[in-house]
Amino acid sequence: MATLADKIMNFYTSLSIPVLPQGIEVMNPYRSKVARALAKQFYTKFYNDTNVRTLILGINPGRYGGGITGIPFTDPIKLEKYCGIENNLVKKAELSADFIYRMIESYGGTTSFYSRFYISAVSPLGFTAVGKNVNYYDLRSLENSLRDFIVNSLRAQLDLPLERKCCFCLGEGKNFQYVSKLNQEYSFFEKIVPLAHPRFIMQYRRKKVDAYIGAYLGALGGG
């Protein structure tokens, strides 16, 4: 029987992106042997079972985190320090990953957290324009071109298996609005719970990080 790790890796390595608007480039780390190997180590370590997880949806991977490691909200530093997976990638921190792993440590650590949750993104692949991150909703033309890709990606991940009663959405604004609208149309989940996005917290509410971690733990049922 295929494990959850097997299914996750099959999902990520089979992703294909549609034609994108001019000037937008996709970040697909799974084309890299290094990133594929690191992602396989990560998912084998934490998802080598058939247990159900609760989905946490981000926006799309960034160029310093999931965009290079292949693991959402996990930069090369966190991958080594908290997940125990050594790597030769450039050790540059990602703000969102800083928050996520502080929260995971408060939850009880990586083994405890990943045994209950699976982090992905509305768009499991990220995008750049002129070397900077671009969110899937930043440009209407990009959002429109990605709609089928996003819907199909969510459908595919629901076979992993995932809990259908509740999904957590990182981002209380546009990301939550978009996911909620899709959910009304396709009934992916019974309930979607919004949480402040890690980058927003670290960029604009850094003095309140501990309070936001408390809010996450309260919603996720940990700590």
Side-chain angles (χ1 to χ4, degrees):
M1 178 181 293
T3 65
L4 185 50
D6 295 329
K7 292 181 178 180
I8 293 171
M9 286 304 300
N10 182 63
F11 166 71
Y12 279 119
T13 56
S14 63
L15 289 173
S16 60
I17 206 73
V19 176
L20 299 175
Q22 187 173 0
I24 302 295
E25 297 183 2
V26 65
M27 290 183 287
N28 189 343
Y30 312 102
R31 294 173 180 166
S32 160
K33 289 183 179 180
V34 172
R36 285 201 307 273
L38 292 174
K40 186 173 182 178
Q41 286 185 63
F42 174 86
Y43 287 113
T44 299
K45 182 172 184 175
F46 296 109
Y47 295 85
N48 198 33
D49 55 57
T50 57
N51 301 331
V52 176
R53 302 302 203 278
T54 296
L55 176 63
I56 299 175
L57 277 179
I59 299 170
N60 40 242
R63 67 191 189 282
Y64 297 130
I68 57 171
T69 63
I71 303 154
F73 292 99
T74 303
D75 61 39
I77 297 172
K78 312 303 185 298
L79 185 59
E80 201 162 280
K81 180 177 180 179
Y82 296 104
C83 303
I85 297 175
E86 296 182 357
N87 63 86
N88 294 320
L89 298 173
V90 176
K91 299 301 188 292
K92 186 174 179 64
E94 181 189 58
L95 271 182
S96 293
D98 289 347
F99 176 84
I100 286 294
Y101 277 88
R102 283 183 63 174
M103 181 273 295
I104 287 175
E105 284 297 286
S106 295
Y107 186 91
T110 51
T111 299
S112 178
F113 182 83
Y114 288 124
S115 71
R116 286 193 57 199
F117 298 98
Y118 165 71
I119 303 180
S120 185
V122 174
S123 172
L125 294 179
F127 311 96
T128 61
V130 198
K132 295 184 178 181
N133 288 335
V134 176
N135 294 324
Y136 71 85
Y137 53 66
D138 284 342
L139 300 170
R140 181 55 61 87
S141 58
L142 177 60
E143 181 182 316
N144 290 341
S145 68
L146 291 171
R147 180 180 167 81
D148 288 345
F149 170 72
I150 287 171
V151 170
N152 291 335
S153 294
L154 285 171
R155 281 176 169 161
Q157 289 176 98
L158 288 177
D159 291 331
L160 286 180
L162 296 176
E163 174 62 61
R164 299 291 291 268
K165 291 182 179 179
C166 178
C167 166
F168 292 94
C169 174
L170 303 187
E172 299 171 303
K174 292 181 179 179
N175 201 39
F176 178 59
Q177 292 168 11
Y178 187 86
V179 174
S180 297
K181 188 174 181 180
L182 279 186
N183 199 53
Q184 288 176 0
E185 185 173 351
Y186 295 101
S187 299
F188 292 130
F189 306 98
E190 292 180 19
K191 179 174 63 173
I192 297 177
V193 177
L195 294 169
H197 194 278
R199 184 169 184 84
F200 169 81
I201 296 168
M202 298 300 287
Q203 193 165 354
Y204 301 108
R205 299 289 188 273
R206 189 181 287 265
K207 292 182 179 180
K208 297 183 178 180
V209 166
D210 289 342
Y212 278 105
I213 288 176
Y216 265 65
L217 298 183
L220 300 177

